[in-house]
């Protein structure tokens, strides 16, 4: 264990001052307070903005800024750890009163100024201090301009981070031809660089050079494991440090992101000036270099918006201003690659670039872009849905058409641009020749470097046919390579130049070859030599001269002719290499085996293999229908020294075609051809279908053959039929492939049919071709039905019915078409479609407007369609019939806490709208009570209720059809107050009588009752032992040797009160003392007595009622309950219990029949006791009272009529 010691204050303070450390709101600020208490209105110094650490390049302006606060205003001073800041030439301290910024400026900062700086803010109450670091990066000494013949130092930086496959390209670009010397020096530089890097990094891997991304930015990345994570990282461009941000929220042009060991550098908003050599350094050691080149390319023709239909191909085309081998295609912000979905092609002149989006679907729509360098153009692809109704729910066929394209003659535009570029190139070459000649005339030219640059002729001429030689002139080479890698002419004097030097050639064994060298004069003879030996016109060689052109011709090349050839005219000379070899060849047996077609089924893999003799510099390519196949996706190409294999996975019909293998070396090309046949089910037969005959008994069809036979001949066609309106398809038969017609004789007059036609070959059935509806014979429509008649009508629905037509047209009636017309309008509106007929001869019209009048008519529908409509019905109004008010499932009892709002919402049905009236206890309601009436609803609202608001509220609804009323009992109450003191008394061993004073709310709330909880020392938990007690006494069972505590709660509809605690009844307190040694005769027998009588109850109708009383007696008395002197012990409507002298009776739902006098009778062998009470059921109207009083009377009809009138006027709902 260790302890962290608190830092001591070593800073001096004045006399009477103390040093108290304070915390600032700004992290990194240290505050020392000089006094214990600061007067009001004064404050110690603090920083609201502290200086920020700075890393800056040597020679720049370094500035630190700070803002301080404090009262009185603090004095700000600057210091540094190692040195002073008193030199005004190096350090300039300023204060801006407007922005309140204190600054220290260091113009033309030097590396020795890199240090830790401190800023102090002081006043009489304290001092604040903050530190900040200044890092100064030394400027890399700029490399001197490259002299003629020297290699650009940038060349070695690029090679140190380049892939080996790029060495040849980089050397050609910088004019280096001596590869051995280059590789030797490169290895030395790599060893030195790795030793330097090892000081700061453990490893560097996954180098990815800079590339333009789909979002228009450029990125390079690498994985770098730093030894010290705090090491500084710098980015340089062409030797100058550039600022960058690490914070994603900070918008800068350059950004460096770090994720673990991965570092990603991003350049945003690309411009031509962003091209250059980028280097990432750790401290002062370069870790990675990458050359960012921005080609000077623009779009002559930009891609245009394409509208394509589903399953059609979409084409985007563009033309560039300069040749470019590959541009980036982007679809919906994602780079696109060549594959099954996208076809990317480039013209031979590399000016026309084309993107084909195959088999367009809805998910393919969006913005597509072409990116060339830092230039880009974009356009929309809009995919239109194929709304052919015949194809709904079916897979749509693949279309062979293409949509889009620029609409211009791109080939013509490209040719014109190619001619323009060729003319510019020729002008530049001519100007370069003139400039060289002028330098040669003045003697100031230098033709070659003394180091690694070779004097050998540049380029290699390769015969594509293997039967001769072709040469590449300097004009045919890339511009970068042709200037440095071409033959370096040697100059004898100002009049002798080599206008066109020798070039390396590859000669086919047994074929002739020529070497040509052209001088600027025909007056000079030259000398030919091979590998240092002079040549003459002998041994199959001929030396000749044609003007200023000197020719060396080999009649028939063999291995002895390979070597280094040189032509020398005085001091000017040119060299070239001649290599003799053979054109690639195939074995005849392998070629015969390869030429046999490969036949597979759709979904299977196709494999091609060719064996050939091993050969150096052999280039292997596979083609399908003239297009080169690339390794990736479903294509796998294996290239070995003695054989090659092509594997095409999951082949489709579109993969069928010619497969060609090409072997190419510098001496020529050999090709082998095979064929891939992918067989599948045939395509569906083609439309349109010709209807040759359609009568009441015959339908004859004719169709066109399938466009695709699936790779094998179609054997026959199969025909199916479906009757419109049914779901069953029936096979009718098949016909031969040559016939392509079918005659259906089993049809019914007037019915519509759909036919499916399948093509069949050995691989199976095609997808069906489905015809439109075809009717047998002519249309026969049914007659008009009877006019619709009204069944019932409301404001939202009109029910109609009608009779079927007398004439059904000889076919079955499928249903009916119903129409409506609004009064005073002429337009008939269909309520259903012909395709969805109303099957029954009745209908409920719900699309009506309340109070509007409508006419209706109906038409019968058969297989031919809808017949003549019926006559219009009479005008029918959409309104409810007159109806006496009726209440919808109201609640008749409500309990509300005092102070809360009372909301009584009653829904009703009535027509017309009734007049609503509210009463409280049969009196008009108070004016401050709100009543809100709406359609079919009335609501009574008391915003803040009081106990006096309790009572019976009556709603009365009255209209011309009658009157209805309903009573709701509202009980406004609150949480009950606790009961009075609790007393305990033991009279009998094992029994304890608990009594308590009633709650003050008992008189205000007739539903208040009590609950008792018990706590004993044995279980030590509180448990409820009695509930729903309407009396103030209870007898509990107890056990000797235990302590008891009791709590009595008052309880009503709002909940429980606070408890009243009993005294402790324990082991030695308040016990009955028994003296067992004295024999005494004790008897407990006594007659029954009523301890707590029954209470009067007035529950509302439908509510629960609970009656209790307490009875004592020994032996235990027998208890009998009576209602109106009738025993109810055996009545299942009453739940009766008797436990420990507490007699209880519960009525779950009080009704009118439960009202009356209730009596409890207790009887044992010593006597009898009884008590009684009355139960009055609330909510019984005068009608109920009258009916109850006249029950069993025999009345005259006139008396019955008068009684019904009285009941109607009283609002009773009982008849």
């Amino acid at each position: 264990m260790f302890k962290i010691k608190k830092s001591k204050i070593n800073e001096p303070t004045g006399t009477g001052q103390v040093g108290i450390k304070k915390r600032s709101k700004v992290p990194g600020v240290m505050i020392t307070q000089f006094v214990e208490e600061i007067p009001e209105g004064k404050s110690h110094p603090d920083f609201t903005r502290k200086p920020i650490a700075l890393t800056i390049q040597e020679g720049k302006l370094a500035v630190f800024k700070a803002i301080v606060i404090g009262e009185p205003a603090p004095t700000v001073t600057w210091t540094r750890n190692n040195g002073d800041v008193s030199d005004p030439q190096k350090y300039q301290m300023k204060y801006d009163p407007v922005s309140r910024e204190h600054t220290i400026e260091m113009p033309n900062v030097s590396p020795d100024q890199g240090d830790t700086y401190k800023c102090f803010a002081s006043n009489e109450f304290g001092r604040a201090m903050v530190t900040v670091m200044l890092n100064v990066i030394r400027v890399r000494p700029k490399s001197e301009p490259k002299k003629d013949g020297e290699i650009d130092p940038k060349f070695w930086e690029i090679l140190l981070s380049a892939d080996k496959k790029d060495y040849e390209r980089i050397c050609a670009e910088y004019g280096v031809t001596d590869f051995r010397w280059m590789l030797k020096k490169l290895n030395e530089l790599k060893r030195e660089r790795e030793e330097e890097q090892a000081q700061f990094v453990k490893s560097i891997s996954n180098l990815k050079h800079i590339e333009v991304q789909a979002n228009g930015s450029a990125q390079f990345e690498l994985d770098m494991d730093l030894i010290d994570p705090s090491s500084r990282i710098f980015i340089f461009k062409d030797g100058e440090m550039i600022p960058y941000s690490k914070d994603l929220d900070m918008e800068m042009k350059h950004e460096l992101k770090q994720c673990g060991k991965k570092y990603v550098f991003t350049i945003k908003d690309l411009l031509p000036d962003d091209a250059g050599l980028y280097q990432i350094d750790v401290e002062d050691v370069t870790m990675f270099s990458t050359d960012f080149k921005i080609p000077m390319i623009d779009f002559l023709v930009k891609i245009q918006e394409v509208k394509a239909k589903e399953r059609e191909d979409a084409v985007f085309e563009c033309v560039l201003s300069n040749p470019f081998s590959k541009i980036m295609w982007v679809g919906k912000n994602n780079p696109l690659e060549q594959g099954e979905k996208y076809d990317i092609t480039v013209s031979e002149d590399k000016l026309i670039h084309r993107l084909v989006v195959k088999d367009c679907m809805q998910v393919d729509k969006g913005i597509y872009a072409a990116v060339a360098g830092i230039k880009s153009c974009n356009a929309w692809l809009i995919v239109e849905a194929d709304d052919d109704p015949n194809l709904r729910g079916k897979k749509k066929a693949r279309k062979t058409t293409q949509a889009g394209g620029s609409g211009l003659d791109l080939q013509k535009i490209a040719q014109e641009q190619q001619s323009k570029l060729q003319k510019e190139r020729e002008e530049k070459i001519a100007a370069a020749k003139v400039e060289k000649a002028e330098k040669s005339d003045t003697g100031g030219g230098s033709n070659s470097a003394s180091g690694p640059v070779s004097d050998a002729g540049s380029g290699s001429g390769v015969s594509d046919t293997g039967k001769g030689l072709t040469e590449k002139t300097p004009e045919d080479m890339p511009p970068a390579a042709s200037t440095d890698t071409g033959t370096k002419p040697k100059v004898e004097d100002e009049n002798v130049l080599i206008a066109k030097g020798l070039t390396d050639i590859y000669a086919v064994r047994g074929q002739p070859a020529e070497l040509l060298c052209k001088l600027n004069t025909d007056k000079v003879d030259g000398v030919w030599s091979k590998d240092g030996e002079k040549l003459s016109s002998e041994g199959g060689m001929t030396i000749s001269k044609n003007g200023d052109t000197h020719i060396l011709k080999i009649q028939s090349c063999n291995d002895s002719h390979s070597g280094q050839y040189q032509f020398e005219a005085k001091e000017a000379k040119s060299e070239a290499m001649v290599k003799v070899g053979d054109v690639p060849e195939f074995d005849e047996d392998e070629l015969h085996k390869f030429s046999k077609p490969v036949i597979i089924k759709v979904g299977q893999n196709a494999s091609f293999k060719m064996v050939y003799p091993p050969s150096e510099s052999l280039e292997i390519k596979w083609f399908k229908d003239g297009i080169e196949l690339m390794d990736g996706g479903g294509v796998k190409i294996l290239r070995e020294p003695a054989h090659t294999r092509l594997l095409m996975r999951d082949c489709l019909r579109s993969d069928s075609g010619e497969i060609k293998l090409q072997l190419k070396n510098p001496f020529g090309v050999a090709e082998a051809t095979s064929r891939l046949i992918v067989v599948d089910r045939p395509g569906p037969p083609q439309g349109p279908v010709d209807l040759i005959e359609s009568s009441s008994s015959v339908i004859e069809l004719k169709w066109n053959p399938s466009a695709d036979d699936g790779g094998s001949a179609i054997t026959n066609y199969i025909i199916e039929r479906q009757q419109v309106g049914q779901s069953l398809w029936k096979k009718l038969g098949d016909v031969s492939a040559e016939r392509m017609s079918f005659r259906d004789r089993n049809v019914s007059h007037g019915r519509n049919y759909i036919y499916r036609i399948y093509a069949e070959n050995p691989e199976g059935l095609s997808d069906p071709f489905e015809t439109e509806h075809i009717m047998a014979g002519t249309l026969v429509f049914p007659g008009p039905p009877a006019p619709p008649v009204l069944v019932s009508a409301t404001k939202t629905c009109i029910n109609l019915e009608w009779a079927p037509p007398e004439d059904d047209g000889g076919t079955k009636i499928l249903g009916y078409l119903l129409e409506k017309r609004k009064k005073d309008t002429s337009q008939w509106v269909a309520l259903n479609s012909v395709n969805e007929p109303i099957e029954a001869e009745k209908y409920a019209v719900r699309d009506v407007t309340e109070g509007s009048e409508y006419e209706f008519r109906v038409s019968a529908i058969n297989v031919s369609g809808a017949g003549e409509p019926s006559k219009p019905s009479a005008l029918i109004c959409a309104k409810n019939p007159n109806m006496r008010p009726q209440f919808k499932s109201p609640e008749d009892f409500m309990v509300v806490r005092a102070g809360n709002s009372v909301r009584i919402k009653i829904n009703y049905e009535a027509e017309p709208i009734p007049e609503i009236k509210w009463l409280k206890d049969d009196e008009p309601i108070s004016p401050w009570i709100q009543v809100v009436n709406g359609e079919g609803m009335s609501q009574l609202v008391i915003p803040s209720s009081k106990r006096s608001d309790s009572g019976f509220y009556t709603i009365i609804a009255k209209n011309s059809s009658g009157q209805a009323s309903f009573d709701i009992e509202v009980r406004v109450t609150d949480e009950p107050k606790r009961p009075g003191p609790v007393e305990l008394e033991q009279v009998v061993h094992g029994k304890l009588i608990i009594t308590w004073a009633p709650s003050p709310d008992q008189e205000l709330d007739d539903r208040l009752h009590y609950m008792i909880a018990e706590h004993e020392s044995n279980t030590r938990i509180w448990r409820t032992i009695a509930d729903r007690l309407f009396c103030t006494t209870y007898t509990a069972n107890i056990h000797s040797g235990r302590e008891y505590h009791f709590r009595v709660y008052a309880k009503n509809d709002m909940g429980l009160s606070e408890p009243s605690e009993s005294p402790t009844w324990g082991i030695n307190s308040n016990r009955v003392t028994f003296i067992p040694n004295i024999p005494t005769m004790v008897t407990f027998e006594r007659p029954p007595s009523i301890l707590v009588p029954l209470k009067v109850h007035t529950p509302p109708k439908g509510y629960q009622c609970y009656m209790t009383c307490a009875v004592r007696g020994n032996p235990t008395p027998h208890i009998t309950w009576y209602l109106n002197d009738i025993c109810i012990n055996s009545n299942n409507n009453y739940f009766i219990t008797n436990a420990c002298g507490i007699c209880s009776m519960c009525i779950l739902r009080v009704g009118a029949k439960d009202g009356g006098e209730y009596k409890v009778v207790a009887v044992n062998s010593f006597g009898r006791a009884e008590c009684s009470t009355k139960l009055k059921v609330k909510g019984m109207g005068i009608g109920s009272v009258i009916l109850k009083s006249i029950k069993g009377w025999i009345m005259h009809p006139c008396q019955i009529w008068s009684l019904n009138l009285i009941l109607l006027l009283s609002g009773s709902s009982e008849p």
Side-chain angles (χ1 to χ4, degrees), residues 743-989:
R743 190 175 180 84
D744 184 9
R745 300 179 180 276
N746 186 20
V747 295
S748 300
H749 180 246
R751 295 190 181 276
N752 287 306
Y753 298 94
I754 302 173
Y755 293 87
R756 282 181 181 171
I757 307 170
Y758 300 84
E760 186 178 15
N761 70 358
E763 300 303 320
L765 293 177
S766 70
D767 293 332
F769 172 78
E770 195 169 297
T771 68
E772 297 180 351
H773 295 185
I774 300 176
M775 176 176 285
T778 57
L779 299 177
V780 180
F781 298 99
V789 296
L790 175 66
V791 177
S792 64
T794 65
K795 64 181 181 181
T796 59
C797 180
I798 297 177
N799 292 290
L800 304 170
E801 65 179 8
W802 56 85
E806 297 179 357
D807 179 16
D808 59 6
T811 58
K812 180 182 177 182
I813 300 296
L814 301 178
Y816 297 91
L817 172 67
L818 183 62
E819 299 173 283
K820 71 174 182 179
R821 181 173 66 181
K822 203 171 184 180
K823 183 181 179 182
D824 299 329
T825 62
S826 59
Q827 183 180 5
W828 287 95
V829 179
L831 299 176
N832 63 296
S833 65
V834 177
N835 296 331
E836 297 177 355
I838 301 171
E839 297 181 358
E841 293 167 0
K842 58 183 179 180
Y843 190 74
V845 182
R846 302 187 183 278
D847 185 16
V848 294
T849 304
E850 182 180 0
S852 299
E853 293 183 309
Y854 298 91
E855 290 179 300
F856 298 92
R857 69 181 185 183
V858 64
S859 306
I861 301 173
N862 64 4
V863 292
S864 299
E868 182 182 353
S870 68
K871 293 181 180 180
S873 67
L875 284 172
I876 301 172
C877 183
K879 67 175 184 177
N880 290 333
N882 291 344
M883 182 174 61
R884 178 172 170 267
Q886 294 181 359
F887 297 106
K888 298 162 65 174
S889 304
E891 294 184 2
D892 55 5
F893 183 73
M894 180 183 297
V895 179
V896 181
R897 185 189 297 272
N900 291 352
S901 63
V902 177
R903 297 178 180 273
I904 306 174
K905 184 177 179 181
I906 302 295
N907 296 320
Y908 62 85
E909 291 181 350
E911 187 66 29
I913 297 175
E915 178 185 353
I916 302 298
K917 184 178 180 181
W918 285 88
L919 303 175
K920 178 182 181 256
D921 296 331
D922 297 331
E923 296 292 336
I925 59 177
S926 302
W928 57 274
I929 298 178
Q930 303 174 10
V931 175
V932 180
N933 292 323
E935 183 177 356
M937 178 274 296
S938 180
Q939 185 174 14
L940 181 141
V941 180
I942 303 175
S944 180
S945 60
K946 299 176 293 184
R947 286 183 181 267
S948 59
D949 293 323
S950 299
F952 284 88
Y953 288 82
T954 304
I955 180 174
I956 301 174
K958 182 178 181 181
N959 64 4
S960 58
S961 300
Q963 175 178 306
S965 63
F966 186 77
D967 294 335
I968 306 99
E969 182 182 2
V970 176
R971 183 181 296 274
V972 181
T973 183
D974 207 340
E975 290 183 356
K977 298 177 182 177
R978 71 172 69 195
V982 181
E983 297 179 357
L984 304 178
E985 179 186 2
Q986 185 176 13
V987 178
V988 180
H989 179 70

Side-chain angles (χ1 to χ4, degrees), residues 347-412:
S347 62
E348 292 183 1
D349 55 17
K350 299 182 181 179
L351 293 177
I352 303 175
H353 293 255
R354 183 177 286 105
L355 169 67
V356 179
V357 183
K358 303 177 185 177
D359 194 10
C360 290
M361 305 299 288
Q362 288 295 326
V363 295
D364 296 324
K365 63 183 179 182
I367 296 178
Y368 288 75
V371 181
I374 62 173
K375 300 289 185 178
S376 65
C377 58
N378 56 63
W380 272 90
L381 169 59
I382 301 174
V383 181
E384 299 176 345
D386 193 347
D387 295 331
D388 188 350
N390 296 325
L391 298 178
R392 288 180 182 171
K394 303 173 186 175
K395 184 178 180 181
K396 300 177 177 61
R398 177 82 160 82
K399 295 182 173 62
T400 58
T401 57
Q402 290 186 340
S406 63
L408 303 174
D409 189 350
L410 301 185
Q411 195 65 35
K412 182 178 179 182

